[in-house]
């Protein structure tokens, strides 16, 4: 494949020398036709699942009734948006969504970078592979299983309360899933446990691409491990971190659905409900499709950017 692409690049250069600007454009297209063909399925996926459904957002400006044709619906303008942004329930849901998303964003980045730095310092290759494998195995569990493990661990007789009682940190078992003030922290810790190993992989790849001569120069200058982390490793992965951060900020309203829905209950509803749960509970379940579309439009636009 590499030889084919090299030959095609050479043909492109020859075509550029022999032709003008218009021919140059088609010469580039011909030289990259394999890559273009490979990108067609991805483009079709994006168009089908990210752009075609956008026309359905028109329901947010209608008083949608399933019995009528789509363009025969009553058009109500911004009525549903005005209602949502003056409704205390939706504002609370928006607060929960943004707060949990920021917690997941900050803790996810910090934990992944720290674990990558620590794994990079392990000299025993076998031990490094064992730790990395154990850390990213939870990624392959569904949130149904993961939430069950979290709920069992945080129960009255779960491992968390047992350890805290043995260490005399608490005097009696804590009802972790019955008090709203703990819920955001539980969601953040659960996301770290499930995704930190998987998120670390890209940082380990970025660390592996750092020029070894930089570490040799640091050794000659007398730098210890921590100094090499600070002045060589971290600057080396800064570009990767910035790109991932920019991409993640576009998902700021994507706090999740599964873990909040599975761990949430009536006692912590004021802290656990996100936009997705609001759309399901107050929109779709009550057949108010227009309000559900208005409430979920921001969430789905975030998903479209992710695609």
């Amino acid at each position: 494949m590499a030889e084919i692409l090299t030959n095609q690049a050479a043909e492109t250069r020859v075509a550029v020398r022999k032709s003008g600007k218009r021919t140059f454009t088609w010469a580039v297209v011909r030289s990259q036709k394999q890559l273009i063909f490979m990108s067609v399925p991805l483009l079709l996926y994006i168009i089908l699942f990210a752009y075609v459904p956008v026309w359905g957002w028109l329901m947010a400006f209608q008083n949608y009734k399933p019995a009528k044709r789509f363009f025969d619906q009553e058009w109500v303008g911004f009525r549903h948006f005005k209602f949502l942004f003056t409704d205390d329930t939706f504002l609370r849901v928006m607060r929960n969504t943004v707060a949990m998303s920021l917690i997941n964003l900050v803790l996810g980045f910090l934990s992944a970078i720290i674990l990558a730095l620590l794994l990079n310092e392990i000299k025993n290759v076998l031990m490094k592979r064992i730790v990395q494998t154990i850390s990213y195995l939870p990624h392959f569990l569904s949130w149904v299983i993961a939430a069950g493990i979290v709920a069992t661990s945080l129960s009255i007789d779960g491992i968390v309360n047992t350890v805290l009682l043995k260490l005399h940190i608490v005097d009696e078992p804590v009802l972790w899933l019955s008090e709203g003030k703990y819920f955001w922290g539980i969601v953040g810790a659960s996301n770290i446990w499930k995704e930190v190993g998987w998120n670390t992989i890209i940082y380990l790849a970025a660390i592996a691409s750092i020029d070894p001569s930089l570490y040799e120069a640091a050794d000659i200058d007398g730098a210890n491990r921590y100094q090499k982390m600070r002045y060589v490793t971290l600057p080396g992965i800064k570009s990767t971190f910035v790109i991932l951060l920019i991409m993640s900020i576009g998902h700021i309203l994507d706090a999740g659905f599964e873990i909040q829905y599975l761990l949430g209950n009536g006692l912590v509803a004021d802290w656990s409900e996100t936009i997705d749960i609001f759309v399901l509970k107050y929109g779709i379940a009550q057949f108010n499709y227009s309000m559900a579309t208005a409430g979920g439009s921001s969430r789905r636009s975030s998903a479209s950017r992710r695609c």
Side-chain angles (χ1 to χ4, degrees):
M1 177 62 71
E3 184 178 354
I4 294 174
L5 293 177
T6 302
N7 293 335
Q8 290 178 344
E11 294 175 0
T12 301
R13 290 193 294 268
V14 173
V16 169
R17 289 194 296 267
K18 294 182 177 180
S19 60
K21 184 176 181 180
R22 181 176 299 179
T23 310
F24 166 76
T25 302
W26 288 108
V28 172
V29 172
R30 286 196 300 271
S31 66
Q32 304 293 334
K33 57 181 179 294
Q34 284 87 358
L35 297 177
I36 294 175
F37 291 149
M38 291 171 60
S39 66
V40 167
L42 178 61
L43 291 175
L44 292 177
Y45 172 83
I46 294 174
I47 293 172
L48 182 61
F49 292 100
Y51 291 102
V52 172
V54 169
W55 71 273
W57 291 1
L58 292 173
M59 291 171 57
F61 305 98
Q62 300 173 334
N63 187 18
Y64 184 80
K65 303 296 182 184
K68 295 183 178 180
R69 296 176 59 185
F70 186 82
F71 291 102
D72 293 335
Q73 303 290 333
E74 177 188 0
W75 295 86
V76 296
F78 290 94
R79 179 195 300 176
H80 299 295
F81 292 97
K82 292 178 180 178
F83 171 78
L84 288 175
F85 286 99
T86 56
D87 180 59
D88 292 337
T89 300
F90 183 76
L91 294 178
R92 186 186 69 244
V93 166
M94 182 70 73
R95 178 206 65 181
N96 296 341
T97 302
V98 174
M100 282 187 276
S101 182
L102 288 175
I103 290 172
N104 293 336
L105 179 67
V106 174
L107 294 182
F109 272 98
L110 290 179
S111 59
I113 292 174
I114 292 173
L115 181 59
L117 292 174
L118 295 177
L119 287 174
N120 187 57
E121 294 300 318
I122 298 178
K123 303 305 179 185
N124 189 317
V125 178
L126 178 61
M127 180 60 66
K128 180 177 180 179
R129 290 178 179 176
I130 292 174
V131 173
Q132 187 176 1
T133 301
I134 294 174
S135 66
Y136 73 61
L137 278 179
H139 170 80
F140 298 100
L141 298 176
S142 70
W143 267 117
V144 176
I145 298 175
I149 295 173
V150 172
T152 303
S153 301
L154 297 176
S155 61
I156 294 179
D157 56 348
I159 187 174
V160 175
N161 279 319
T162 301
V163 171
L164 294 178
L165 289 171
K166 293 292 185 182
L167 296 176
H168 302 288
I169 297 176
V170 297
D171 298 327
E172 58 183 10
V174 179
L175 300 176
W176 298 101
L177 295 177
S178 299
E179 297 189 37
K181 61 182 180 180
Y182 299 129
F183 193 83
W184 292 354
I186 291 171
V187 170
S190 301
N191 274 286
I192 290 177
W193 164 67
K194 190 173 185 297
E195 302 294 343
V196 63
W198 188 259
N199 295 337
T200 301
I201 294 175
I202 191 168
Y203 291 110
L204 288 174
I207 292 174
S209 65
I210 297 175
D211 190 352
S213 63
L214 297 177
Y215 291 102
E216 296 173 1
D219 286 329
I220 294 173
D221 291 337
N224 56 34
R225 284 191 174 187
Y226 300 104
Q227 291 172 329
K228 285 189 284 187
M229 283 184 189
R230 179 178 178 182
Y231 297 107
V232 179
T233 307
L234 287 176
I237 64 174
K238 182 175 68 174
S239 59
T240 302
F241 166 77
V242 171
I243 292 174
L244 293 177
L245 178 63
I246 293 173
M247 295 175 64
S248 297
I249 290 176
H251 310 154
I252 199 66
L253 293 180
D254 185 9
F257 169 79
E258 295 91 346
I259 185 170
Q260 290 87 352
Y261 186 78
L262 295 169
L263 294 182
N265 53 68
L267 297 174
V268 296
D270 290 345
W271 301 83
S272 64
E273 288 185 352
T274 60
I275 292 177
D276 291 337
I277 297 176
F278 176 87
V279 169
L280 177 64
K281 185 176 180 180
Y282 299 101
I284 298 175
Q286 297 181 9
F287 304 103
N288 193 343
Y289 300 113
S290 294
M291 190 179 72
T293 304
S297 59
S298 59
R299 165 65 180 85
R300 283 193 290 272
S301 65
S302 176
S304 298
R305 288 192 297 270
R306 182 171 66 253
C307 292

